[in-house]
DNA sequence: ATTCTCACTTGATCCACATCAATGTGAGAG
DNA sequence: CTCTCACATTGATGTGGATCAAGTGAGAAT
């Protein structure tokens, strides 16, 4: 079953705005009320910086709409994205005062924030929130480690293919994907942001996208809208172990 | 203060063998007894594989002596190390049955293991263990992200210098380091393992080590014993932001 | 319409690191 | 003391992606 990776947890923020992956699903009514009390929303425009590395950060948050990215920058300007947060992802450190990296809105973005100190208190009272957070952090660690394999060992083409499959898995209208068939979605990142994600230059990203297009692996409708005629063909380009079943 | 990164948490397993970073320091006597009940030791020889990716893993553990590594392997044999565990580091996932990557002993290794299911139960009863684990996982995530910057954007020479400074910070006899002065330690990895860590080939690792030696940044006494005459000079080679204070 | 701008594409050239191929070395076995 | 084997170094050559440098095209401002 090559589609194993498509079984991705979905956001849980339907009618109740705090029903995100992080805090909830199992929350009792009174816990929800406590969360409501320390909750507020913030919106950002594409390109805006939310916090700079080293700044103090007095909230944790859940992504409601849009995409945020975590990036590290070297003195001479070299940049590497180290985290990509999509809706339902969690942002922040309950027990750390300052942010370890820049947090930027890569698209228009809405966050559901919780004030940090009271949230920390709530975690103590409510073990399942801490457990959920641990689980999410471990998932993020797994993602970071797969990303490390990508950065350290994959070719430019494989990097692009892997990136597209990651975005497709989370972002696409995956209506009825069953191993074949078309998948379509909009890229939430510029070529430059993709380059920062993948450890490439934007020129290389562009060239490889053109290459995949020329070879019929993807279609480009406009600059940002991607159509993948056959997801399995794309997966073959990722270099990933395709005999499935390895992951938990 | 360029030596900020030297303030690394020390192992806490002096006389009590389960006083590792993971579980303890704040444990009450009865909790220690419960831990004792599910605890056992295992030893491995250098090169031995502890678990293969996908295997079930019925324990979590703390590294007592030696070095373990987590590696991901692609179908065609390309390998990337994604975790390096030194004494006091934690290994495993309390609430996951199977290992997501190969775990290998890179030196002779002793683990202090806890049976997974009872450990999970203990976590529920003892919130501070869960908190400690979350904190450690977040630290590991930070380390993974710094590693991503290394893999994606640093030159071979910077990668080597960063690696040496990471190992020195954790492994060296840092008696009285204060910004200058000699630091010495043994490399716990072969050139090949270093290459897997850094996303390079072993030849490039060897060449860059020779380069640093020729430039007087390090001395090589034998193949594995490293002497760093001036740690700050090494830090200048890492490409890291040197004006300090950014990190938490 | 016209120009400006911003994101992207495409081309030509270069170089850091990979690859392929010997050669060196030192610790343990006999 | 010297064989051997695993690990490490060093050299010669090739190449994928970076770098430098023009284009292109679509939408916004004038």
């Amino acid at each position: 079953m090559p589609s194993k990776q498509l079984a991705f947890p979905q956001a849980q923020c339907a009618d109740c705005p705090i029903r995100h992956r992080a805090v909830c699903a199992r929350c009792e009514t009174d816990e929800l009320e406590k969360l409501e009390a320390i909750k507020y929303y913030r919106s950002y425009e594409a390109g805006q910086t939310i916090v700079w590395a080293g700044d103090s950060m007095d909230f944790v948050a859940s992504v409601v709409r849009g995409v945020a990215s975590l990036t590290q920058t070297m003195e001479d300007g070299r940049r590497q994205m180290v985290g990509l947060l999509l809706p339902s992802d969690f942002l922040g450190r309950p027990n750390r005062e300052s942010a370890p990296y820049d947090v930027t809105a890569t698209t228009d973005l809405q966050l559901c924030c919780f004030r940090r100190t009271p949230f920390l208190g709530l975690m103590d009272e409510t073990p399942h929130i801490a457990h959920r957070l641990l689980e999410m952090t471990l998932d993020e660690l797994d993602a970071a480690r797969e990303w490390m394999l990508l950065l350290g060992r994959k070719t430019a083409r494989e990097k692009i293919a892997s990136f597209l499959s990651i975005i497709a898995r989370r972002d696409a209208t995956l209506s009825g994907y069953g191993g074949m068939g078309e998948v379509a979605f909009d890229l939430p990142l510029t070529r430059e942001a993709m380059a920062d994600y993948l450890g490439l230059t934007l020129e290389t990203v562009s060239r490889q996208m053109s290459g995949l297009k020329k070879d019929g692996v993807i279609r480009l409708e406009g600059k940002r809208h991607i159509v993948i005629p056959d997801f399995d063909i794309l997966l073959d380009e990722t270099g990933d172990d395709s005999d499935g079943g390895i992951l938990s």
Side-chain angles (χ1 to χ4, degrees), chain A:
Chain A
M1 47 177 278
S3 57
K4 55 168 170 138
Q5 292 154 317
L6 287 168
F8 225 92
Q10 293 299 306
Q12 291 163 342
C13 33
D15 39 20
C16 164
I18 57 173
R19 289 200 159 272
H20 308 301
R21 274 210 295 155
V23 285
C24 263
R26 284 189 306 172
C27 275
E28 306 296 333
T29 315
D30 59 331
E31 290 164 2
L32 286 180
E33 272 164 20
K34 286 179 195 162
L35 278 168
E36 281 291 333
I38 60 169
K39 183 190 92 180
Y40 58 98
Y41 290 93
R42 298 209 59 164
S43 292
Y44 300 88
E45 288 177 15
Q48 232 182 319
T49 295
I50 298 164
V51 280
W52 297 101
D55 282 3
S56 85
M57 198 171 152
D58 60 353
F59 63 91
V60 299
S62 215
V63 176
V64 178
R65 269 185 312 101
V67 180
S69 63
L70 314 178
T71 47
Q72 286 195 307
T73 307
M74 296 171 66
E75 293 176 276
D76 59 4
R78 282 177 281 175
R79 268 190 308 171
Q80 176 64 51
M81 197 185 293
V82 296
L84 187 67
L85 303 179
L86 302 182
S88 88
D89 282 339
F90 188 79
L91 165 67
R93 299 296 180 81
N95 41 21
R96 237 186 217 62
E97 289 234 347
S98 66
Y101 0 78
D102 298 334
V103 182
T104 314
T106 59
T107 65
D108 289 346
L109 178 70
Q110 187 178 25
L111 295 182
C112 174
C113 306
F114 304 93
R115 291 188 294 121
R116 196 176 62 82
T117 319
F119 186 87
L120 192 56
L122 209 63
M123 268 178 62
D124 285 331
E125 296 169 31
T126 319
H128 80 247
I129 294 187
H131 274 70
R132 188 73 197 89
L133 218 46
L134 176 58
E135 216 170 298
M136 289 184 64
T137 306
L138 286 168
D139 285 345
E140 221 170 327
L141 191 55
D142 277 347
R145 283 169 166 167
E146 205 143 326
W147 199 337
M148 284 170 54
L149 175 65
L150 177 149
L151 289 171
R153 296 301 187 193
K154 289 191 181 178
T155 65
R157 176 181 257 244
E158 287 168 344
K159 285 177 175 183
I160 299 285
S162 295
F163 172 78
L164 292 177
S165 98
I166 288 167
I167 299 298
R169 287 203 300 271
R170 296 215 46 190
D171 206 36
T173 51
L174 287 168
S175 43
Y177 176 78
M180 70 293 293
E182 215 165 80
V183 178
F185 58 94
D186 286 306
L187 285 176
L189 271 62
T190 63
R191 298 286 184 268
E192 189 181 17
M194 285 175 65
D196 285 344
Y197 185 111
L198 300 169
L200 298 171
T201 59
L202 68 92
E203 293 94 329
T204 300
V205 169
S206 186
R207 269 186 256 275
Q208 296 299 331
M209 294 280 286
S210 301
L212 288 172
K213 182 184 172 186
K214 188 168 62 66
D215 298 347
V217 180
I218 61 172
R219 289 206 311 275
L220 272 162
E221 304 185 342
K223 286 167 177 177
R224 295 289 194 85
H225 191 75
I226 303 286
V227 180
I228 300 170
D230 187 328
F231 204 84
D232 291 336
I233 292 177
L234 180 73
L235 285 182
D236 287 342
E237 297 283 345
T238 61
D240 290 341
D241 194 341
S242 60
D243 55 44
I246 287 275
L247 286 175
S248 56

